[in-house]
Structures are given as C-alpha cells and as structure tokens.
Amino acid sequence: MWQMLRRIPAVVKLEFRPRLLLGGLGRAAVLGLLPVFLVWSMQQVADFRDSADFQEAILLFILMPGLLCILCQLFWASPIVQAGMEENIWSVVGVRPYGKTAFLLGKYLMAVCWTIVAGWGSSLLCAWIIPFPNWRQTVAVFAALVALSAFAYGAIFLFLGALFIRRGMVAAVAYVVFIEALTGTLPALIHHLTVQYHLRSLLFQWVDLPRRDSIQMAVRWLQEEIPWWAHLAALAIYTVVMLTLAVIVVNRKELVKPEEN
Amino acid sequence: MMIELDHVTKLYGLVLGVNDLNVSLQPGAYGLVGPNGSGKTTLLRLLTGQLRPSMGRVRVLGQNPWNNAVVFRKLGYCPQEDGFPAHITAWEWIYFLLTLAGLDSREARRRTEEALAMVDLADVQHRRIAAYSRGMRQRVKLAQALAHDPELLILDEPFSGLDPVGRHQMIRLLRQREQAGKGILIATHLLHDVEAVARQFLLICGGRLLASGDAEEIFSLLEDLPKEIHIRTDAPRQLARDLVALELADSVRLLGDDRLWVASRNPGQLYAQLPRIIQQGRVSVWEIAAADSSLQSLFDILLKIHYGVQIRNS
C-alpha cells in the first residue's frame, strides 16, 4: 500500500509541469466562469441586494457543488482511463511497479484539484455578485461543499469510467440524471444513497441565513435529523469505496486499445 | 529461466492472438520474428503483463507478470506505438517514469540524463515531444525502457523510424547490454535488424511458433528444402525443359515471356550446368537471382510450409 501511495506524487508533479499547469488553469477558468455568468445574468433581472437569503444559497448550491463540480468531473475524472488508452499511456505506466494504480489515483487527485480551483474561484466571484449578510461563513461552507462534491463525484465518475471505458462519460451522465437528480429528490429512504442528499443536508446544517428554517420546514421530508459528521462520514465512505472499486477494475482489465486486439 | 510459456493461448473473442505457445528461454538476446499480425505484439503484451493468457501459463524471470511489481522492477518495455503525452518534454517523461518506478528524485534525475545521452537526445531533452521527429520519438521510447537498467528488455519494433545512424547506435547499445548479461527480446518483421543483435530466433506466424533456435540450427532446417532461383532468359520454356531433363530442377514455373522460376534441391549443380546449357546456343540468360541465404529466405519457406504450400508441387 505504502509502495503504491508514495508513487502518486510523481503523477501529480508531472501534471504540475508549467505547460500542463497553464492548460489546467485555463480549463478550470472556463468552467468556473460558467456559473458566474449565470449568476450575473440573473442579477440583471432580479437584484440580489434586496433579497440575499437562504434562497440564494440554494441557487449557489445548485450551481457550485451541483452543476459545476459534476461538469468538471465529467470532463476530467470520467475519461481518465479512456484517455490513457487513447494515448497508449497504460502500455508504458502499466509495466511500472504499481504504475496503473498510482497513475489512476494521481490523475484523480488532479481532477479533484482542478475542480476545487474552479469551484472556489467561482464561489468567490458569485458571493461577490450576491452579497450575503455573512458572506465569509457562506463562502467557507461552499468551499467545503465544493471540495466534498469534487472528491465524491470524482470517485464515482472514475469508477464508471473504469467500468465502461468507452462509454464512461455516458454512464456518468446517466448516473447523474437517474440517480442524483431523480432518486435524490424522491421522498424515500433511497435518496440517502445519493451524494446530493448528504451535500444538501450539510448545506442546511452549516449555512445560517434568513429564511433557512421556513425553507427547511417546506422540504422537511428531505432533511432528516442526522448529525453533520455522519454526512461527512457517508461521503468519505462513498469516495473510498468508489476509488477502491476503480482501482480493482483497472488492475483487472487489459488496458489495450480495442482496435489493436 | 528468463521466459517460460507453457501452452499459452490468447483469444480475443473468437480471434486467436497466439496459439498454444511453448517456449523456454535462458537469459540472452532473442529475436522474435514474424510478419505483421503474426501475434508478436500480443506475445510481448502477455510477457509484460498487459494481457492475461486465455489458457496456459506465462512466467517471466520466474514469476507471473500480471500486475507483478517484482517483475516490473526488472523489466524494460518499449512498445510499438507512441505512448506519451505530447505536451511534455522527453526529460520530463523519462524522469516521471523513473519516479513512478520508485526512484528518488536525485537518482531519477541522474538516470534520466544518462538515458537521454545514451540515445543521443541530450541536446533536445527539454524540447516538447510533440516537436520531435518519428525517429526521435522512437529514441524516447527506447530511453524510457533502458533508463532503470532492467534485467530484461522487451522491445517491440525498436528500429522503426530510426535513420541508419540511429539504427547503428541502437544496435551497438543493445549489443553492449547483451554482452553485460542482460536479457533482450526484440520483436520485428525486419530480419536484418535483429540479426545484428540476437543470437537466437523465434519465428512466429498466425500466433504459432514456426521454429526456434540459433541461426545455424534454423538454417539446418533448410538442407532438404528446395532453393528458389529466378532466371531472366529469352527462351524460358526451352530452359525449363533442359533443367527438368537434366534433373536440375524440382519445380519450374513460367513468369511471363522472359522469366522463369525454378525450385532446386541442388542449386550448386544448377549453377555449374547452366553455362553449358547457354553454350549450346538455344537459350540466352540475362539475369540470375537466387534467394539469398539470410533469415528472410528461411522465414519465407517456413511460412509456406506452415500454410501447407509444398514448393515442389507449386
């Protein structure tokens, strides 16, 4: 285990080479500006200054740990295995000791890193457009939610990308639509299995803004009284389990270009 | 034992990659020779643990190579296809692979520079790989395979894209490794490349091993086989009649109005008798081209035997 873990920084260091760093920053900036643009265009219609409360926090929640993190990880985490095959990288790193696992996890960490960069930058800009009464606390909560979302969705998409190599992104989109979006809003216990449920519960517990209680009452069936640490533990377990499954799948698969077979 | 294959078969669905291979190789330099699509790359991928055999057992340096870190530490692999991100430099790529192999930063730096100097890329090591020529990219692949000084080097078409000077340098480098007691397995479809490095040869086609052994052993297989000779003449029918009448040809075939193909078990006697036939004035011979005695001719004949083509009946 230690032998494998100590190889992961090599992959991260490679990605931090100046040329790749600039490319990553550019892509993070483009994706991060998408929610900012949406918030800015909404502000043109409705002046947030008069009504910045928990409703705006929900809007930000949908855009940041929801839309932005999912989009970023769709682009960066789900195609990791496929891209390695297209570039024939697996045929080289796969014959290094623990190379497959280290490369997979290193790439995953980079996907998480760029997602967090995009999410945090975007949260700051959005909080500047929507002046929350206690914006420092709100931004800090969103920073945490973005990070949790990036780790959890990244791990799930990485697993799906490893399982359905050539259809990884399609499988990830299907997961988001059918599991996160549909199941996550069902008034049934099954929604406990979604990442959205835990992130949303943490939002309600951590963000202290006007109208929170009235909104929480309205959707009470979605917000059970579970302590925040239990939600954190659930997200951590999701992440670890999905990463473990992704590593197992990658190490069991023959990562050779199909057309060459 | 460096490599052991015990009834190894690899299937891709219903397609055979390699078929019931049985090989035991002691440490040394080996050439794996076969035409495109013969199963060379599949075999190398089995040996480097990228593929699992559908049947049989693969052992490299005494162990199963599938996901085996112990084997990977001692293995250097140069794939046929390019396998690197194009936007980084050769130095960055080799250094990354060495650190991924577990070397500390200082040692990785030293070996990266050594490996790039070995393949004559020191001057351009900080240039992006995307800007490299095909030959330079081939050198990067060789450098990454050599950089950690592996016990066994497995190379898939290592000379493709190299210019004659680069080819000569690589051959010298591989010979040095062979003399140092390191194992080398080179897969190629160009025989003259591998003849300069390898002492032993494995001939593969259709996923099956056709023959193996050193050059002498393989050429001894040829003793009872007819040799092919191409003759350009103004009277190919007459010459064919004369050669058959004198029992100098086992098989003849007319190739157009001025060409004759002859298969003979005794080409020496044919060459000796041919001037006498010409002296009789019935035929003029403009050109004689015999199949050479390189491995290529052997390979062609073994392939024909494998496919069931009997030369004397053709």
Side-chain angles (χ1 to χ4, degrees), chain B residues 227-234 239 243 248 258-264 266-278 283-292:
Chain B
K227 308 292 183 294
E228 295 177 35
I229 301 162
H230 290 262
I231 302 172
R232 266 188 72 213
T233 172
D234 62 339
L239 183 57
L243 292 174
L248 294 171
D258 63 347
R259 283 173 193 272
L260 180 67
W261 174 90
V262 180
S264 171
N266 197 346
Q269 206 166 353
L270 187 148
Y271 294 138
Q273 295 288 333
L274 201 55
R276 287 182 200 165
I277 296 170
I278 296 166
V283 295
S284 298
V285 171
W286 303 317
E287 188 182 319
I288 301 173
D292 60 30

mmCIF file of all heavy atoms in Angstrom, chain B residues 227-234 239 243 248 258-264 266-278 283-292:
data_model
loop_
_atom_site.group_PDB
_atom_site.id
_atom_site.type_symbol
_atom_site.label_atom_id
_atom_site.label_comp_id
_atom_site.label_asym_id
_atom_site.label_seq_id
_atom_site.Cartn_x
_atom_site.Cartn_y
_atom_site.Cartn_z
ATOM 1 N N LYS B 227 15.744 -24.645 -53.034
ATOM 2 C CA LYS B 227 16.039 -23.210 -53.058
ATOM 3 C C LYS B 227 15.360 -22.603 -54.281
ATOM 4 O O LYS B 227 15.245 -23.243 -55.328
ATOM 5 C CB LYS B 227 17.548 -22.980 -53.158
ATOM 6 C CG LYS B 227 18.373 -23.730 -52.124
ATOM 7 C CD LYS B 227 18.151 -23.235 -50.728
ATOM 8 C CE LYS B 227 19.038 -23.949 -49.737
ATOM 9 N NZ LYS B 227 18.731 -25.393 -49.581
ATOM 10 N N GLU B 228 14.991 -21.359 -54.137
ATOM 11 C CA GLU B 228 14.294 -20.696 -55.245
ATOM 12 C C GLU B 228 15.268 -19.846 -56.054
ATOM 13 O O GLU B 228 16.082 -19.129 -55.475
ATOM 14 C CB GLU B 228 13.181 -19.798 -54.679
ATOM 15 C CG GLU B 228 12.101 -20.587 -53.982
ATOM 16 C CD GLU B 228 11.038 -19.675 -53.373
ATOM 17 O OE1 GLU B 228 10.748 -18.629 -53.971
ATOM 18 O OE2 GLU B 228 10.537 -20.028 -52.300
ATOM 19 N N ILE B 229 15.137 -19.924 -57.368
ATOM 20 C CA ILE B 229 16.014 -19.146 -58.254
ATOM 21 C C ILE B 229 15.152 -18.503 -59.339
ATOM 22 O O ILE B 229 14.273 -19.160 -59.908
ATOM 23 C CB ILE B 229 17.084 -20.065 -58.920
ATOM 24 C CG1 ILE B 229 17.930 -20.739 -57.834
ATOM 25 C CG2 ILE B 229 17.961 -19.271 -59.877
ATOM 26 C CD1 ILE B 229 18.682 -21.955 -58.322
ATOM 27 N N HIS B 230 15.405 -17.229 -59.577
ATOM 28 C CA HIS B 230 14.702 -16.529 -60.658
ATOM 29 C C HIS B 230 15.683 -16.319 -61.807
ATOM 30 O O HIS B 230 16.789 -15.839 -61.592
ATOM 31 C CB HIS B 230 14.195 -15.176 -60.160
ATOM 32 C CG HIS B 230 13.067 -15.310 -59.186
ATOM 33 N ND1 HIS B 230 11.757 -15.177 -59.552
ATOM 34 C CD2 HIS B 230 13.055 -15.590 -57.859
ATOM 35 C CE1 HIS B 230 10.986 -15.367 -58.479
ATOM 36 N NE2 HIS B 230 11.756 -15.612 -57.442
ATOM 37 N N ILE B 231 15.250 -16.679 -63.016
ATOM 38 C CA ILE B 231 16.139 -16.543 -64.187
ATOM 39 C C ILE B 231 15.427 -15.713 -65.248
ATOM 40 O O ILE B 231 14.262 -15.979 -65.572
ATOM 41 C CB ILE B 231 16.507 -17.939 -64.772
ATOM 42 C CG1 ILE B 231 17.173 -18.794 -63.680
ATOM 43 C CG2 ILE B 231 17.407 -17.804 -65.993
ATOM 44 C CD1 ILE B 231 17.405 -20.239 -64.104
ATOM 45 N N ARG B 232 16.153 -14.700 -65.794
ATOM 46 C CA ARG B 232 15.612 -13.948 -66.949
ATOM 47 C C ARG B 232 16.280 -14.482 -68.199
ATOM 48 O O ARG B 232 17.507 -14.506 -68.299
ATOM 49 C CB ARG B 232 15.906 -12.460 -66.786
ATOM 50 C CG ARG B 232 14.756 -11.706 -66.119
ATOM 51 C CD ARG B 232 14.990 -10.215 -66.139
ATOM 52 N NE ARG B 232 14.841 -9.686 -67.474
ATOM 53 C CZ ARG B 232 15.535 -8.668 -67.958
ATOM 54 N NH1 ARG B 232 16.435 -8.073 -67.209
ATOM 55 N NH2 ARG B 232 15.338 -8.225 -69.189
ATOM 56 N N THR B 233 15.464 -14.889 -69.143
ATOM 57 C CA THR B 233 16.006 -15.556 -70.348
ATOM 58 C C THR B 233 15.102 -15.248 -71.541
ATOM 59 O O THR B 233 13.939 -14.857 -71.372
ATOM 60 C CB THR B 233 16.085 -17.086 -70.119
ATOM 61 O OG1 THR B 233 16.425 -17.721 -71.344
ATOM 62 C CG2 THR B 233 14.773 -17.656 -69.614
ATOM 63 N N ASP B 234 15.668 -15.434 -72.760
ATOM 64 C CA ASP B 234 14.839 -15.194 -73.953
ATOM 65 C C ASP B 234 13.973 -16.410 -74.274
ATOM 66 O O ASP B 234 13.018 -16.310 -75.036
ATOM 67 C CB ASP B 234 15.737 -14.838 -75.161
ATOM 68 C CG ASP B 234 16.687 -15.970 -75.518
ATOM 69 O OD1 ASP B 234 16.931 -16.835 -74.631
ATOM 70 O OD2 ASP B 234 17.185 -15.999 -76.646
ATOM 71 N N LEU B 239 14.499 -23.461 -71.587
ATOM 72 C CA LEU B 239 15.385 -23.591 -70.430
ATOM 73 C C LEU B 239 14.742 -24.489 -69.372
ATOM 74 O O LEU B 239 15.410 -25.330 -68.766
ATOM 75 C CB LEU B 239 15.681 -22.197 -69.839
ATOM 76 C CG LEU B 239 16.649 -22.162 -68.664
ATOM 77 C CD1 LEU B 239 18.001 -22.783 -69.026
ATOM 78 C CD2 LEU B 239 16.854 -20.742 -68.158
ATOM 79 N N LEU B 243 16.368 -27.911 -67.898
ATOM 80 C CA LEU B 243 16.667 -28.087 -66.469
ATOM 81 C C LEU B 243 15.972 -29.322 -65.901
ATOM 82 O O LEU B 243 16.558 -30.066 -65.113
ATOM 83 C CB LEU B 243 16.241 -26.839 -65.667
ATOM 84 C CG LEU B 243 17.050 -25.567 -65.926
ATOM 85 C CD1 LEU B 243 16.436 -24.386 -65.184
ATOM 86 C CD2 LEU B 243 18.506 -25.745 -65.517
ATOM 87 N N LEU B 248 17.900 -30.966 -62.807
ATOM 88 C CA LEU B 248 18.465 -29.878 -62.003
ATOM 89 C C LEU B 248 17.368 -29.080 -61.304
ATOM 90 O O LEU B 248 17.662 -28.260 -60.429
ATOM 91 C CB LEU B 248 19.283 -28.926 -62.900
ATOM 92 C CG LEU B 248 20.528 -29.531 -63.514
ATOM 93 C CD1 LEU B 248 21.120 -28.581 -64.552
ATOM 94 C CD2 LEU B 248 21.559 -29.848 -62.436
ATOM 95 N N ASP B 258 9.705 -13.784 -70.386
ATOM 96 C CA ASP B 258 11.159 -13.797 -70.244
ATOM 97 C C ASP B 258 11.630 -14.161 -68.827
ATOM 98 O O ASP B 258 12.758 -13.890 -68.463
ATOM 99 C CB ASP B 258 11.735 -12.430 -70.644
ATOM 100 C CG ASP B 258 11.255 -11.320 -69.734
ATOM 101 O OD1 ASP B 258 10.296 -11.567 -68.959
ATOM 102 O OD2 ASP B 258 11.825 -10.226 -69.761
ATOM 103 N N ARG B 259 10.744 -14.733 -68.063
ATOM 104 C CA ARG B 259 11.155 -15.067 -66.686
ATOM 105 C C ARG B 259 10.788 -16.503 -66.347
ATOM 106 O O ARG B 259 9.729 -16.988 -66.722
ATOM 107 C CB ARG B 259 10.461 -14.144 -65.683
ATOM 108 C CG ARG B 259 11.071 -12.772 -65.634
ATOM 109 C CD ARG B 259 10.234 -11.855 -64.760
ATOM 110 N NE ARG B 259 10.634 -10.486 -64.952
ATOM 111 C CZ ARG B 259 11.601 -9.901 -64.267
ATOM 112 N NH1 ARG B 259 12.235 -10.578 -63.337
ATOM 113 N NH2 ARG B 259 11.934 -8.649 -64.502
ATOM 114 N N LEU B 260 11.688 -17.120 -65.589
ATOM 115 C CA LEU B 260 11.477 -18.500 -65.173
ATOM 116 C C LEU B 260 11.789 -18.604 -63.681
ATOM 117 O O LEU B 260 12.810 -18.091 -63.214
ATOM 118 C CB LEU B 260 12.426 -19.412 -65.971
ATOM 119 C CG LEU B 260 12.356 -20.905 -65.673
ATOM 120 C CD1 LEU B 260 11.018 -21.500 -66.099
ATOM 121 C CD2 LEU B 260 13.490 -21.635 -66.407
ATOM 122 N N TRP B 261 10.879 -19.284 -62.989
ATOM 123 C CA TRP B 261 11.115 -19.534 -61.553
ATOM 124 C C TRP B 261 11.455 -20.997 -61.392
ATOM 125 O O TRP B 261 10.779 -21.878 -61.942
ATOM 126 C CB TRP B 261 9.835 -19.190 -60.785
ATOM 127 C CG TRP B 261 9.876 -19.519 -59.317
ATOM 128 C CD1 TRP B 261 10.293 -18.715 -58.325
ATOM 129 C CD2 TRP B 261 9.458 -20.743 -58.702
ATOM 130 N NE1 TRP B 261 10.169 -19.348 -57.116
ATOM 131 C CE2 TRP B 261 9.667 -20.604 -57.317
ATOM 132 C CE3 TRP B 261 8.949 -21.957 -59.179
ATOM 133 C CZ2 TRP B 261 9.364 -21.607 -56.411
ATOM 134 C CZ3 TRP B 261 8.655 -22.966 -58.277
ATOM 135 C CH2 TRP B 261 8.863 -22.780 -56.897
ATOM 136 N N VAL B 262 12.522 -21.254 -60.673
ATOM 137 C CA VAL B 262 12.989 -22.638 -60.508
ATOM 138 C C VAL B 262 13.159 -22.935 -59.029
ATOM 139 O O VAL B 262 13.677 -22.103 -58.281
ATOM 140 C CB VAL B 262 14.366 -22.838 -61.211
ATOM 141 C CG1 VAL B 262 14.842 -24.279 -61.047
ATOM 142 C CG2 VAL B 262 14.287 -22.458 -62.676
ATOM 143 N N ALA B 263 12.691 -24.111 -58.609
ATOM 144 C CA ALA B 263 12.994 -24.591 -57.264
ATOM 145 C C ALA B 263 13.915 -25.790 -57.400
ATOM 146 O O ALA B 263 13.596 -26.743 -58.127
ATOM 147 C CB ALA B 263 11.717 -24.988 -56.542
ATOM 148 N N SER B 264 15.064 -25.720 -56.751
ATOM 149 C CA SER B 264 16.048 -26.785 -56.916
ATOM 150 C C SER B 264 16.625 -27.196 -55.562
ATOM 151 O O SER B 264 16.959 -26.357 -54.731
ATOM 152 C CB SER B 264 17.182 -26.288 -57.830
ATOM 153 O OG SER B 264 18.228 -27.225 -57.827
ATOM 154 N N ASN B 266 19.388 -28.763 -55.508
ATOM 155 C CA ASN B 266 20.831 -28.759 -55.712
ATOM 156 C C ASN B 266 21.236 -27.538 -56.543
ATOM 157 O O ASN B 266 21.614 -27.648 -57.698
ATOM 158 C CB ASN B 266 21.230 -30.041 -56.427
ATOM 159 C CG ASN B 266 22.715 -30.298 -56.298
ATOM 160 O OD1 ASN B 266 23.460 -29.390 -55.905
ATOM 161 N ND2 ASN B 266 23.132 -31.491 -56.623
ATOM 162 N N PRO B 267 21.147 -26.370 -55.944
ATOM 163 C CA PRO B 267 21.402 -25.151 -56.724
ATOM 164 C C PRO B 267 22.850 -25.067 -57.197
ATOM 165 O O PRO B 267 23.113 -24.518 -58.271
ATOM 166 C CB PRO B 267 21.072 -24.033 -55.731
ATOM 167 C CG PRO B 267 21.144 -24.640 -54.378
ATOM 168 C CD PRO B 267 20.804 -26.074 -54.546
ATOM 169 N N GLY B 268 23.773 -25.639 -56.428
ATOM 170 C CA GLY B 268 25.186 -25.591 -56.840
ATOM 171 C C GLY B 268 25.387 -26.253 -58.198
ATOM 172 O O GLY B 268 26.054 -25.707 -59.069
ATOM 173 N N GLN B 269 24.786 -27.412 -58.360
ATOM 174 C CA GLN B 269 24.919 -28.127 -59.635
ATOM 175 C C GLN B 269 24.210 -27.364 -60.761
ATOM 176 O O GLN B 269 24.693 -27.345 -61.894
ATOM 177 C CB GLN B 269 24.314 -29.522 -59.495
ATOM 178 C CG GLN B 269 24.961 -30.462 -60.480
ATOM 179 C CD GLN B 269 24.652 -31.918 -60.149
ATOM 180 O OE1 GLN B 269 24.065 -32.229 -59.123
ATOM 181 N NE2 GLN B 269 25.069 -32.804 -61.026
ATOM 182 N N LEU B 270 23.093 -26.755 -60.396
ATOM 183 C CA LEU B 270 22.364 -25.974 -61.413
ATOM 184 C C LEU B 270 23.244 -24.830 -61.928
ATOM 185 O O LEU B 270 23.359 -24.605 -63.132
ATOM 186 C CB LEU B 270 21.075 -25.434 -60.805
ATOM 187 C CG LEU B 270 20.110 -24.732 -61.761
ATOM 188 C CD1 LEU B 270 18.668 -24.948 -61.312
ATOM 189 C CD2 LEU B 270 20.362 -23.241 -61.883
ATOM 190 N N TYR B 271 23.908 -24.119 -60.979
ATOM 191 C CA TYR B 271 24.781 -23.009 -61.395
ATOM 192 C C TYR B 271 25.941 -23.527 -62.247
ATOM 193 O O TYR B 271 26.385 -22.861 -63.189
ATOM 194 C CB TYR B 271 25.327 -22.269 -60.175
ATOM 195 C CG TYR B 271 24.246 -21.550 -59.357
ATOM 196 C CD1 TYR B 271 24.261 -21.583 -57.978
ATOM 197 C CD2 TYR B 271 23.242 -20.840 -59.998
ATOM 198 C CE1 TYR B 271 23.296 -20.943 -57.232
ATOM 199 C CE2 TYR B 271 22.255 -20.196 -59.259
ATOM 200 C CZ TYR B 271 22.284 -20.256 -57.880
ATOM 201 O OH TYR B 271 21.316 -19.621 -57.163
ATOM 202 N N ALA B 272 26.418 -24.727 -61.907
ATOM 203 C CA ALA B 272 27.563 -25.282 -62.659
ATOM 204 C C ALA B 272 27.160 -25.692 -64.070
ATOM 205 O O ALA B 272 27.921 -25.541 -65.017
ATOM 206 C CB ALA B 272 28.120 -26.479 -61.894
ATOM 207 N N GLN B 273 25.944 -26.215 -64.207
ATOM 208 C CA GLN B 273 25.488 -26.721 -65.508
ATOM 209 C C GLN B 273 24.933 -25.626 -66.416
ATOM 210 O O GLN B 273 24.915 -25.795 -67.630
ATOM 211 C CB GLN B 273 24.385 -27.772 -65.290
ATOM 212 C CG GLN B 273 24.852 -29.030 -64.587
ATOM 213 C CD GLN B 273 25.727 -29.912 -65.482
ATOM 214 O OE1 GLN B 273 25.611 -29.898 -66.714
ATOM 215 N NE2 GLN B 273 26.633 -30.648 -64.854
ATOM 216 N N LEU B 274 24.506 -24.552 -65.836
ATOM 217 C CA LEU B 274 23.826 -23.507 -66.621
ATOM 218 C C LEU B 274 24.707 -22.947 -67.753
ATOM 219 O O LEU B 274 24.233 -22.788 -68.895
ATOM 220 C CB LEU B 274 23.337 -22.395 -65.680
ATOM 221 C CG LEU B 274 22.220 -21.515 -66.212
ATOM 222 C CD1 LEU B 274 20.995 -22.328 -66.658
ATOM 223 C CD2 LEU B 274 21.791 -20.501 -65.165
ATOM 224 N N PRO B 275 25.993 -22.671 -67.504
ATOM 225 C CA PRO B 275 26.837 -22.177 -68.621
ATOM 226 C C PRO B 275 26.885 -23.145 -69.793
ATOM 227 O O PRO B 275 26.903 -22.726 -70.951
ATOM 228 C CB PRO B 275 28.211 -22.028 -67.972
ATOM 229 C CG PRO B 275 27.936 -21.838 -66.520
ATOM 230 C CD PRO B 275 26.721 -22.670 -66.237
ATOM 231 N N ARG B 276 26.880 -24.437 -69.522
ATOM 232 C CA ARG B 276 26.912 -25.436 -70.626
ATOM 233 C C ARG B 276 25.635 -25.354 -71.458
ATOM 234 O O ARG B 276 25.668 -25.466 -72.676
ATOM 235 C CB ARG B 276 27.054 -26.849 -70.055
ATOM 236 C CG ARG B 276 28.449 -27.088 -69.544
ATOM 237 C CD ARG B 276 28.599 -28.493 -69.028
ATOM 238 N NE ARG B 276 29.760 -28.532 -68.136
ATOM 239 C CZ ARG B 276 30.010 -29.509 -67.307
ATOM 240 N NH1 ARG B 276 29.184 -30.529 -67.211
ATOM 241 N NH2 ARG B 276 31.087 -29.498 -66.560
ATOM 242 N N ILE B 277 24.509 -25.186 -70.740
ATOM 243 C CA ILE B 277 23.232 -25.066 -71.469
ATOM 244 C C ILE B 277 23.266 -23.816 -72.362
ATOM 245 O O ILE B 277 22.836 -23.846 -73.513
ATOM 246 C CB ILE B 277 22.050 -24.992 -70.465
ATOM 247 C CG1 ILE B 277 21.955 -26.297 -69.674
ATOM 248 C CG2 ILE B 277 20.731 -24.693 -71.172
ATOM 249 C CD1 ILE B 277 20.984 -26.257 -68.510
ATOM 250 N N ILE B 278 23.819 -22.754 -71.816
ATOM 251 C CA ILE B 278 23.879 -21.499 -72.591
ATOM 252 C C ILE B 278 24.801 -21.691 -73.807
ATOM 253 O O ILE B 278 24.515 -21.222 -74.905
ATOM 254 C CB ILE B 278 24.360 -20.345 -71.694
ATOM 255 C CG1 ILE B 278 23.337 -20.081 -70.573
ATOM 256 C CG2 ILE B 278 24.565 -19.055 -72.496
ATOM 257 C CD1 ILE B 278 23.856 -19.207 -69.459
ATOM 258 N N VAL B 283 19.488 -21.045 -75.694
ATOM 259 C CA VAL B 283 18.921 -20.006 -74.802
ATOM 260 C C VAL B 283 19.990 -18.987 -74.427
ATOM 261 O O VAL B 283 21.183 -19.295 -74.421
ATOM 262 C CB VAL B 283 18.349 -20.623 -73.494
ATOM 263 C CG1 VAL B 283 17.174 -21.531 -73.740
ATOM 264 C CG2 VAL B 283 19.444 -21.336 -72.718
ATOM 265 N N SER B 284 19.510 -17.774 -74.180
ATOM 266 C CA SER B 284 20.381 -16.744 -73.615
ATOM 267 C C SER B 284 19.854 -16.410 -72.217
ATOM 268 O O SER B 284 18.649 -16.299 -72.030
ATOM 269 C CB SER B 284 20.331 -15.470 -74.467
ATOM 270 O OG SER B 284 20.809 -15.758 -75.753
ATOM 271 N N VAL B 285 20.754 -16.287 -71.301
ATOM 272 C CA VAL B 285 20.347 -15.935 -69.925
ATOM 273 C C VAL B 285 20.895 -14.547 -69.604
ATOM 274 O O VAL B 285 22.081 -14.282 -69.771
ATOM 275 C CB VAL B 285 20.884 -16.969 -68.906
ATOM 276 C CG1 VAL B 285 20.652 -16.491 -67.482
ATOM 277 C CG2 VAL B 285 20.204 -18.308 -69.124
ATOM 278 N N TRP B 286 19.991 -13.666 -69.192
ATOM 279 C CA TRP B 286 20.402 -12.279 -68.904
ATOM 280 C C TRP B 286 20.615 -12.020 -67.414
ATOM 281 O O TRP B 286 21.358 -11.153 -67.029
ATOM 282 C CB TRP B 286 19.305 -11.297 -69.409
ATOM 283 C CG TRP B 286 19.024 -11.453 -70.872
ATOM 284 C CD1 TRP B 286 19.946 -11.604 -71.868
ATOM 285 C CD2 TRP B 286 17.742 -11.502 -71.489
ATOM 286 N NE1 TRP B 286 19.343 -11.739 -73.082
ATOM 287 C CE2 TRP B 286 17.971 -11.672 -72.889
ATOM 288 C CE3 TRP B 286 16.430 -11.417 -71.043
ATOM 289 C CZ2 TRP B 286 16.934 -11.763 -73.804
ATOM 290 C CZ3 TRP B 286 15.419 -11.496 -71.953
ATOM 291 C CH2 TRP B 286 15.651 -11.670 -73.318
ATOM 292 N N GLU B 287 19.915 -12.764 -66.598
ATOM 293 C CA GLU B 287 19.987 -12.444 -65.176
ATOM 294 C C GLU B 287 19.614 -13.686 -64.356
ATOM 295 O O GLU B 287 18.688 -14.409 -64.716
ATOM 296 C CB GLU B 287 18.984 -11.314 -64.873
ATOM 297 C CG GLU B 287 19.095 -10.745 -63.478
ATOM 298 C CD GLU B 287 18.022 -9.674 -63.256
ATOM 299 O OE1 GLU B 287 17.774 -8.870 -64.173
ATOM 300 O OE2 GLU B 287 17.436 -9.679 -62.158
ATOM 301 N N ILE B 288 20.366 -13.902 -63.282
ATOM 302 C CA ILE B 288 20.010 -14.972 -62.328
ATOM 303 C C ILE B 288 19.926 -14.335 -60.943
ATOM 304 O O ILE B 288 20.867 -13.656 -60.518
ATOM 305 C CB ILE B 288 21.067 -16.095 -62.301
ATOM 306 C CG1 ILE B 288 21.216 -16.711 -63.691
ATOM 307 C CG2 ILE B 288 20.680 -17.170 -61.288
ATOM 308 C CD1 ILE B 288 22.357 -17.695 -63.779
ATOM 309 N N ALA B 289 18.813 -14.536 -60.293
ATOM 310 C CA ALA B 289 18.661 -14.004 -58.942
ATOM 311 C C ALA B 289 18.249 -15.142 -58.029
ATOM 312 O O ALA B 289 17.149 -15.682 -58.154
ATOM 313 C CB ALA B 289 17.615 -12.894 -58.916
ATOM 314 N N ALA B 290 19.160 -15.510 -57.146
ATOM 315 C CA ALA B 290 18.851 -16.585 -56.199
ATOM 316 C C ALA B 290 18.329 -15.973 -54.912
ATOM 317 O O ALA B 290 18.730 -14.876 -54.537
ATOM 318 C CB ALA B 290 20.097 -17.384 -55.912
ATOM 319 N N ALA B 291 17.440 -16.688 -54.276
ATOM 320 C CA ALA B 291 17.016 -16.255 -52.942
ATOM 321 C C ALA B 291 18.261 -16.286 -52.065
ATOM 322 O O ALA B 291 19.035 -17.233 -52.123
ATOM 323 C CB ALA B 291 15.974 -17.208 -52.407
ATOM 324 N N ASP B 292 18.473 -15.220 -51.293
ATOM 325 C CA ASP B 292 19.718 -15.161 -50.523
ATOM 326 C C ASP B 292 19.658 -16.130 -49.337
ATOM 327 O O ASP B 292 18.648 -16.779 -49.077
ATOM 328 C CB ASP B 292 20.000 -13.728 -50.051
ATOM 329 C CG ASP B 292 18.899 -13.195 -49.184
ATOM 330 O OD1 ASP B 292 18.263 -13.999 -48.501
ATOM 331 O OD2 ASP B 292 18.679 -11.966 -49.188
#
